[in-house]
């Protein structure tokens, strides 16, 4: 069973991580006169720099290289690369929407995203849905259906977010790509695109000639690094169900920022009825996750084992995919080679002593 202090620390860290991710939502306003597209381009560069530093500090490069060695065919490389434009588009709308009066619509997409992922899991992976998950999904669907009936449409930005991420994760799951490996690969592939975009739009000249960007751009990288690092720490300290529940905090923070700082009216993103139904659905999802967490803690007490945790690299006992097995084989081979070198060195010393 998880110690109380570890769970408390993990909860605090997870809240801080979600708050920092939501704080990035406001950088479009802080970095004007850069356009939303230019801010998104700078965020890719700063995220890449921060992630390179983070991976170097955590000494995770070998994990990344070992995974990339398992990609053998052109089809596998295609499936590995094709999600990159999806992530790039999501980074773009996240930074572009707040400065174009679409912050609330994007926030609504993040509210709907967890329920879309549950439906994807049900129909693509035959995962069972609990009764509460069915009720939550139905509530959200009723809210959206009402707005479509009342206004004839739903914001494209909302659909862009909630329907954009599932294909990304489906493709990443198909190849069992570890999160850190996938993210740093995406950012590297996006770098030439954003450099060209910044060069063509004058983003480099504007950033260099404006004093405030000398500290805002490093701050963008620092916040990105801190958010990613805190997420990794929280994922290691918290059970899966509790960690997933706390991820709902990010859209809540985004909603608060959209209303208070971006000064958007609630009815700009949709009707009050739709927001009410989605809020009810969100509360039901949180309750379902909390009940699952309590049930598993009780089972841990009875059966004497801990709930598996989320990590940047999956636990060995749960690895069934042949690709990850190949990565683990590479890790074992590297350790064997390291110990063999030590044995050879000791053997040479022994032979030298005998020669004397």
């Amino acid at each position: 069973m998880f110690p109380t202090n570890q769970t408390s620390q993990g909860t605090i860290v997870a809240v801080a991580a979600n708050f920092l991710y939501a704080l990035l939502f406001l950088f479009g306003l802080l970095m004007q006169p850069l356009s939303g597209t230019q801010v998104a381009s700078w965020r890719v560069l700063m995220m890449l720099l921060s992630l390179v530093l983070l991976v170097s500090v955590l000494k995770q490069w070998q994990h990344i290289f070992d995974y990339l060695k398992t990609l053998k065919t052109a089809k596998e490389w295609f499936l590995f690369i094709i999600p990159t434009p999806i992530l790039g588009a999501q980074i773009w709308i996240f930074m572009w929407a707040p400065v174009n009066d679409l912050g609330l619509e994007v926030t609504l997409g993040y509210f709907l995203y967890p329920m879309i992922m549950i439906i994807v899991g049900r129909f693509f992976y035959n995962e069972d849905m609990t009764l509460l998950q069915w009720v939550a999904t139905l509530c959200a669907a009723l809210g959206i259906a009402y707005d479509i009936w009342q206004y004839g449409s739903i914001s494209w930005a909302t659909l862009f977010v909630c329907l954009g991420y599932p294909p990304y994760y489906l493709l990443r799951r198909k190849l069992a790509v570890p999160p850190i490996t996938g993210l740093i690969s995406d950012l590297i592939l996006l770098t030439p695109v954003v450099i060209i975009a910044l060069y063509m739009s004058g983003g480099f000249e504007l950033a260099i000639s404006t004093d405030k960007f000398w500290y805002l751009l490093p701050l963008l990288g620092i916040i990105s690094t801190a958010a990613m690092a805190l997420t990794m720490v929280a994922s290691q300290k918290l059970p899966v169900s509790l960690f997933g529940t706390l991820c709902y905090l990010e859209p809540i923070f985004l909603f608060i920022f959209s209303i208070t700082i971006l000064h958007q009216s609630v009815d700009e993103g949709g009707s009050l009825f739709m927001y009410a139904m989605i809020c009810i659905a969100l509360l039901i999802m949180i309750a379902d996750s909390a009940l699952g967490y309590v049930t598993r803690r009780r089972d841990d007490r009875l059966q004497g084992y801990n709930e598996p945790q989320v990590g940047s690299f999956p636990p060995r006992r749960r690895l069934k995919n042949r690709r990850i097995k190949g990565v683990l084989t590479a890790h074992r081979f590297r350790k064997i080679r390291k110990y063999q070198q030590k044995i050879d060195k000791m053997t040479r010393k022994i032979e030298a002593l005998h020669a004397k």
Side-chain angles (χ1 to χ4, degrees), residues 25 89-113 116 144 153-166 254 258 264 268-270 274-275:
F25 195 57
Q90 293 297 330
I91 293 174
W92 167 76
I93 197 170
F94 188 82
M95 307 306 295
W96 177 86
V99 294
N100 289 275
D101 298 324
L102 288 173
L104 208 53
E105 288 82 349
V106 167
T107 299
L108 182 59
Y110 280 98
F111 274 124
L112 292 173
Y113 162 67
I116 297 294
I144 294 171
S153 65
I154 188 170
S155 172
W156 68 270
T158 299
L159 295 176
F160 194 91
V161 172
C162 68
L163 299 180
Y165 271 117
L254 293 179
S258 296
Q264 284 196 266
E268 290 182 34
M274 182 182 69
Y275 276 110

Side-chain angles (χ1 to χ4, degrees), residues 106-125:
V106 167
T107 299
L108 182 59
Y110 280 98
F111 274 124
L112 292 173
Y113 162 67
M115 279 155 276
I116 297 294
M117 288 301 293
I118 287 175
I119 295 172
V120 168
R122 174 66 182 87
F123 291 102
F124 281 85
Y125 297 105

